[in-house]
Amino acid sequence: MMAEAPFLRRLMLARPEVLAATATGSFDTAIAAAWEPGESVAEVSRALRRERQAVALAVALGDLSGRLSFEQVVRFLSDFADRAVERALHAIFRERGADAVTGFSVLALGKHGSRELNYSSDIDPILLFDPDTLPRRRSEEPVEAAARIARRLVEMLQTRDANGYVFRVDLRLRPSPEATPPALPVEAAIGYYESSALPWERAAYIRARAAAGDRTLGGGFLAAIRPFVWRRGLGFGAVGEIREISRRIRAHYSEGQVFGPGYDMKRGRGGIREIEFFIQIQQLVHGGRDPALRAPATLDALTALAAAGHVGPDEAARLAHGYRAFRTVEHRLQMIEDHQTHSLPVDLAALDAVARLDGLPNGAALLDRLRPDVAAVGTIYDSLDPTDGVALPRGAVAVEDAVTAAGYRDPGAVRTRIEGWRAGTPRALRTPAAQAAMEAALPGLIAALGQASDPDAAFARLDRMIGGLPTAIDFFRLVTARPGLGRLVADILSSAPALADQLGRRPALLDVLIDASAFDPPPAVVVLADEFGTVERGADYQQVLDRARARINERRFALGTQIVAGVADPIEVAGGYARVAEGAIGALAGAAVAEFVKAHGAVPGGELLILALGRLGGGALTHASDLDLIYLFTGDHQVESDGAKPLGATTYFNRLAQRVTGALSVATPAGPLYDVDTRLRPSGAQGLLAVSIDSFERYQREDAWTWEHMALTRARPVFGSADAVAGLTAVIRGVLERPRDAGTLIPDAVRMRGEIALHKPPAGPFDVKLVPGGLVDAEFAVHVLQLRHAIGLDPRLRSAIGDLAAAGLIDGEMAEAHALLTRMLVVMRLVSPESTEPPVAVRALIAAACRMTDWDALIAARDAAQRLIAAEWSRISTV
């Protein structure tokens, strides 16, 4: 080591006490012992330089001996950087007559921010100040005082003297460094990042933290710009910008791209920078939705991305191995003369010396060890770019030939739409950037849509969607960056009008599809409610509603896509739709209650309860289901609320119920949510919107019709405290378990079914809900048996059917018949919303979703299910 690293040789001769301490004790002890006292700027400057010598020697010895891991090495170096900046700042503020560092914060970016400093590293801080709290001399303006502190800090850290230097300081990561002072007013910095920052600056703040000075000030700044860094809506422009940075680096450092002597470990193809960029791109893409991916350290972020399924396990292992290997060799290069170099020596003797520092016999062995990782990293990073394809030709004949070859039946219509795009007819395609993004995406889109079940319909819907966008740049960049999404988009556009319409209103929903979690079942209701209700601090009521609506629609869109993609059972999706709706009620009703309380206070002893009926009560919705709700309240209806604008309890809860209905149903730019149907409340549309539980119980026991009790079999509280929910559940159970007179129950049910058949006839043979032997007949059969025998009183029909079958009251095949028709209903609401005969192009999708081999098998199974249900309803309704 003495021969290969002159810098370390000089340190060992200058600091024998550090050498001895590392030989006999821990590295923490050796470094701590190097601390020297000092108060003045001159004393602290000398002490920090000598401490830096000790840290450099101790860390090098630990690294070369194998006693310190790579992670420990970079942490020691980074922790010293924090201590050095903090101590220098305190000395500067003392020099200026201040007792503490206030109003001035140092943000660490880059490897310092992620605590991954290399052996001979710059630090890249952003310096911020608060004009209101920064101590300054009487004659100074805040900007002038902050600039003097910043210049003094840089001088203390990087000026060389007989003891060397502490750190080189690079302030060029601040906004417009050529025109701005070295320290920025915090509010001006926030304004810049909210309005004017470039896409690549998002990546810089992945690894930012408040490292020294006024950490409250720095932490507040980072919290304020968090939405800028971690966007839920993807900006694929940012991804493209980072990729372009990499291309420019490759071009500028072309001499260091070829692996071998002279290879640039940091900037070379397959090197350190490409590992970091690969990981940061994945973080930018997915981190807006998943806070667990926001780890600043490279290896920590890679672990999180692999755990979330965004990076494959083999890729993650290779990148982690390469990162440790490359960074370790980078440290060897810098230990030789304390130079900030990243390139392997061109001279073979010098390369041999680096290899010997790394414990290898010569440079050839070092190259052999690095080569597989370099090649693998380069390949992995290149996978971020889609394979270059031939551009779609121009000219009517050439375009039509290409479109025909891709599988379209009306190439002339497709060609006309493409010509409109190229002419900039849609406003979304009127800029050069949009045209370039469109041309890059066209070949892949044409191919993907050509494989759809109905290519021409898919392209027509895509054209309508593009026509409604303010800009199409991100859409085209998305499908270019993620070619696999093209086929899924094609299937959505050609097969699922409901999803296509949703996508046309809000193309940002495509962001959902790049998350692996989009194809998982939604989590528990309580988790969804928290997800939908969480907003940035300071958001007003309308912002809360808009954010919740956006997230709810993302979840609904993802569930529909699971059916189109064929990755989920429609019955499970129906359950997911119901959990999302219940989570929506929890979040939006909770927000509405909180907002109402601000104006009117709370009703002492009273609270709002929401009772779900119909499909929501039964825990199985379709994409198009409305919400059947009854609003109830607890407590004394004669008391008043305790707020500034008090209301009587009945008025209070009726107005609150209206507010909740509006939150769930009023369309906003974030998109519509649900139609809310409250006609099942006591006395129907003529009654109060919200009634007390006592009034509800009295009405159900004394005045309710048979059909209202049938509806109550699927009643389930979905909002309210645990005690209130338990009390309401007991009320419902008591009503349903009352003895029934079959002579009244059955004729009432038959009469009600007849009314439905008269006023809501089926739309056709594929209206599996309303046709004879359809889902409504199945529900009537189950509800009559539930009320007559007080058995199977579970709001979820599948469970109720199971209980009734176990009691011998219903055909055991009823469960599968009901399940088949439920699957058909859920799928048909997506692919044929009007319940008409589905297009030929989507029949294979419907059959597969319903677990049938083909369309003919599905029709045969449907007919058998309807016969069984019709027979059961006939038997039950005539007993």
Side-chain angles (χ1 to χ4, degrees):
M1 183 177 71
M2 296 284 283
E4 281 79 24
F7 172 66
L8 296 183
R9 182 169 65 248
R10 293 194 294 272
L11 285 182
M12 285 189 286
L13 294 174
R15 305 299 298 271
E17 77 283 6
V18 177
L19 182 64
T22 56
T24 59
S26 72
F27 292 95
D28 298 89
T29 303
I31 291 172
W35 185 89
E36 296 181 4
E39 292 291 324
S40 70
V41 166
E43 291 169 341
V44 171
S45 293
R46 178 183 184 278
L48 288 178
R49 280 155 178 76
R50 286 182 56 77
E51 186 177 355
R52 193 260 174 173
Q53 293 175 348
V55 170
L57 179 56
V59 167
L61 294 172
D63 188 1
L64 295 171
S65 68
R67 293 171 61 190
L68 291 179
S69 67
F70 163 74
E71 287 86 343
Q72 289 173 308
V73 167
V74 296
R75 179 55 66 92
F76 272 124
L77 296 171
S78 302
D79 286 350
F80 170 63
D82 287 359
R83 294 196 304 274
V85 175
E86 188 72 57
R87 194 174 178 190
L89 266 184
H90 278 274
I92 293 167
F93 272 67
R94 280 194 299 270
E95 182 181 61
R96 296 177 61 83
D99 295 331
V101 178
T102 58
F104 193 95
S105 182
V106 179
L107 303 182
L109 274 69
K111 288 185 171 65
H112 183 197
S114 59
R115 292 187 171 90
E116 298 172 302
L117 279 179
N118 59 43
Y119 191 77
S120 182
S121 183
D122 288 355
I123 58 173
D124 304 281
I126 297 287
L127 307 180
L128 301 173
F129 72 93
D130 179 1
D132 295 331
T133 59
L134 180 72
R136 61 184 193 275
R137 293 163 182 158
R138 180 169 301 178
S139 60
E140 290 178 324
E141 292 295 325
V143 172
E144 181 184 9
R148 287 175 176 169
I149 293 168
R151 286 192 288 268
R152 191 68 157 142
L153 178 64
V154 172
E155 177 187 3
M156 280 190 71
L157 293 175
Q158 74 176 18
T159 300
R160 288 181 178 270
D161 62 16
N163 291 301
Y165 68 101
V166 187
F167 282 101
R168 293 176 292 270
V169 181
D170 187 345
L171 297 178
R172 291 175 296 175
L173 287 182
R174 72 186 189 276
S176 305
E178 72 285 349
T180 54
L184 304 173
V186 65
E187 291 301 326
I190 291 172
Y192 170 81
Y193 287 108
E194 288 181 340
S195 62
S196 307
L198 298 172
W200 66 264
E201 290 176 292
R202 289 178 62 197
Y205 275 90
I206 290 175
R207 300 194 286 184
R209 62 185 174 88
D214 189 335
R215 286 180 170 81
T216 301
L217 175 66
F221 168 78
L222 292 176
I225 69 165
R226 187 178 299 123
F228 156 75
V229 182
W230 302 109
R231 295 179 179 172
R232 288 178 60 80
L234 292 179
F236 269 81
V239 174
E241 181 81 9
I242 296 171
R243 288 289 292 141
E244 185 57 31
I245 291 171
S246 179
R247 296 186 191 101
R248 291 199 297 269
I249 289 171
R250 283 183 175 179
H252 184 73
Y253 293 94
S254 57
E255 294 181 358
Q257 297 299 319
V258 177
F259 183 72
Y263 173 73
D264 191 320
M265 298 295 304
K266 178 178 180 180
R267 304 177 185 90
R269 181 186 184 277
I272 295 167
R273 183 65 60 82
E274 294 196 351
I275 296 175
E276 293 172 340
F277 278 4
F278 179 88
I279 292 168
Q280 288 167 17
I281 285 172
Q282 303 295 335
Q283 288 180 285
L284 287 175
V285 170
H286 303 289
R289 299 174 181 280
D290 186 354
L293 305 180
R294 300 175 188 176
T298 301
L299 294 175
D300 291 343
L302 183 59
T303 299
L305 287 164
H310 301 305
V311 177
D314 293 340
E315 284 185 338
R318 176 60 80 177
L319 291 172
H321 185 271
Y323 190 71
R324 291 187 177 94
F326 300 164
R327 291 293 310 277
T328 298
V329 171
E330 180 185 48
H331 289 169
R332 306 288 186 265
L333 293 168
Q334 295 172 355
M335 288 173 187
I336 293 173
E337 273 296 1
D338 193 26
H339 291 162
Q340 193 188 21
T341 180
H342 312 283
S343 296
L344 298 176
V346 175
D347 179 77
L348 296 184
L351 184 61
D352 288 343
V354 175
R356 286 193 293 273
L357 269 181
D358 206 41
L360 297 172
N362 52 48
L366 178 62
L367 294 176
D368 287 343
R369 192 168 75 180
L370 293 174
R371 185 176 287 107
D373 284 325
V374 170
V377 169
T379 300
I380 292 170
Y381 186 71
D382 286 342
S383 69
L384 291 172
D385 266 346
T387 303
D388 292 335
V390 179
L392 190 73
R394 293 180 180 268
V397 175
V399 171
E400 288 194 22
D401 286 346
V403 168
T404 300
Y408 295 81
R409 293 186 294 273
D410 189 355
V414 176
R415 184 257 306 161
T416 298
R417 291 186 171 98
I418 291 173
E419 288 174 348
W421 291 5
R422 284 173 161 171
T425 301
R427 61 173 179 166
L429 292 172
R430 291 176 184 169
T431 66
Q435 284 286 314
M438 180 265 291
E439 291 292 349
L442 261 180
L445 267 178
I446 292 293
L449 291 166
Q451 299 176 53
S453 55
D454 188 343
D456 299 87
F459 203 90
R461 287 198 181 103
L462 176 61
D463 182 54
R464 287 195 295 273
M465 187 184 85
I466 297 300
L469 296 177
T471 176
I473 293 175
D474 269 2
F475 168 74
F476 285 121
R477 282 175 170 167
L478 169 58
V479 295
T480 302
R482 297 273 174 155
L485 279 182
R487 177 60 190 276
L488 185 53
V489 171
D491 287 340
I492 290 171
L493 293 174
S494 65
S495 304
L499 297 181
D501 290 345
Q502 197 177 356
L503 188 58
R505 290 191 300 269
R506 189 169 170 243
L509 286 170
L510 281 177
D511 300 349
V512 174
L513 304 183
I514 66 169
D515 283 349
S517 61
F519 298 100
D520 293 335
V525 169
V526 65
V527 177
L528 289 168
D530 183 63
E531 173 189 318
F532 300 152
T534 300
V535 295
E536 297 295 329
R537 185 174 58 186
D540 62 24
Y541 178 63
Q542 192 56 51
Q543 290 171 321
V544 170
L545 298 188
D546 285 344
R547 181 66 62 86
R549 288 183 181 111
R551 291 175 177 173
I552 293 160
N553 276 328
E554 287 171 1
R555 284 285 187 180
R556 295 173 71 196
F557 182 79
L559 283 163
T561 302
Q562 290 179 18
I563 293 176
V564 174
V567 298
D569 183 345
I571 288 179
E572 297 301 321
V573 172
Y577 279 134
R579 290 200 299 281
V580 168
E582 193 172 343
I585 291 170
L588 295 176
V593 169
E595 186 70 9
F596 206 71
V597 166
K598 290 179 184 178
H600 303 290
V603 174
E607 66 171 285
L608 181 71
L609 280 164
I610 301 178
L611 184 65
L613 296 93
R615 292 198 164 275
L616 179 58
L621 295 179
T622 72
H623 186 82
S625 291
D626 57 12
L627 306 183
D628 294 306
L629 303 179
I630 293 178
Y631 295 107
L632 305 168
F633 61 89
T634 62
D636 185 349
H637 68 277
Q638 294 182 327
V639 302
E640 285 192 339
S641 63
D642 56 11
K645 299 178 181 179
L647 296 172
T650 299
T651 302
Y652 181 98
F653 286 111
N654 273 268
R655 290 188 185 177
L656 176 56
Q658 291 172 342
R659 180 74 66 93
V660 173
T661 296
L664 289 167
S665 60
V666 174
T668 71
L673 279 184
Y674 301 100
D675 289 331
V676 175
D677 189 342
T678 60
R679 290 174 298 176
L680 291 175
R681 66 187 186 267
S683 301
Q686 305 306 313
L688 290 170
L689 185 59
V691 300
S692 69
I693 288 183
D694 290 342
S695 296
F696 174 76
E697 181 178 14
R698 185 165 54 252
Y699 176 84
Q700 292 295 338
R701 291 189 179 278
E702 298 175 5
D703 300 316
W705 296 73
T706 298
W707 66 265
E708 291 178 287
H709 287 175
M710 291 175 66
L712 207 61
T713 60
R714 285 202 285 178
R716 185 168 58 89
V718 292
F719 184 82
S721 67
D723 287 344
V725 164
L728 177 56
T729 302
V731 167
I732 294 168
R733 190 81 182 188
V735 171
L736 295 180
E737 289 179 342
R738 290 172 53 191
R740 303 281 168 172
D741 177 8
T744 301
L745 170 64
I746 294 174
D748 283 352
V750 170
R751 187 163 46 253
M752 183 61 189
R753 181 65 184 96
E755 289 290 320
I756 292 175
L758 178 64
H759 296 291
K760 291 185 67 176
F766 288 91
D767 189 347
V768 295
K769 179 178 178 181
L770 293 172
V771 294
L775 288 168
V776 170
D777 280 353
E779 292 162 7
F780 266 70
V782 171
H783 297 334
V784 166
L785 291 175
Q786 288 174 303
L787 292 178
R788 183 175 180 185
H789 300 282
I791 292 175
L793 295 175
D794 190 312
R796 292 169 173 82
L797 280 172
R798 191 175 184 87
S799 298
I801 292 171
D803 291 342
L804 292 169
L809 297 173
I810 202 167
D811 192 315
E813 299 296 319
M814 187 74 157
E816 281 309 307
H818 180 267
L820 175 66
L821 297 190
T822 299
R823 289 188 178 99
M824 287 191 70
L825 180 72
V826 174
V827 181
M828 292 280 287
R829 287 292 187 261
L830 287 175
V831 304
S832 185
E834 303 304 320
S835 298
T836 55
E837 185 169 350
V840 173
V842 300
R843 291 180 180 180
L845 184 155
I846 299 172
C850 293
R851 300 181 172 181
M852 295 293 157
T853 55
D854 55 35
W855 182 251
D856 289 341
L858 174 60
I859 296 305
R862 180 206 63 178
D863 292 345
Q866 289 176 353
R867 286 194 299 270
L868 185 146
I869 291 171
E872 282 297 280
W873 171 233
S874 177
R875 177 182 65 81
I876 292 166
S877 64
T878 56
V879 172

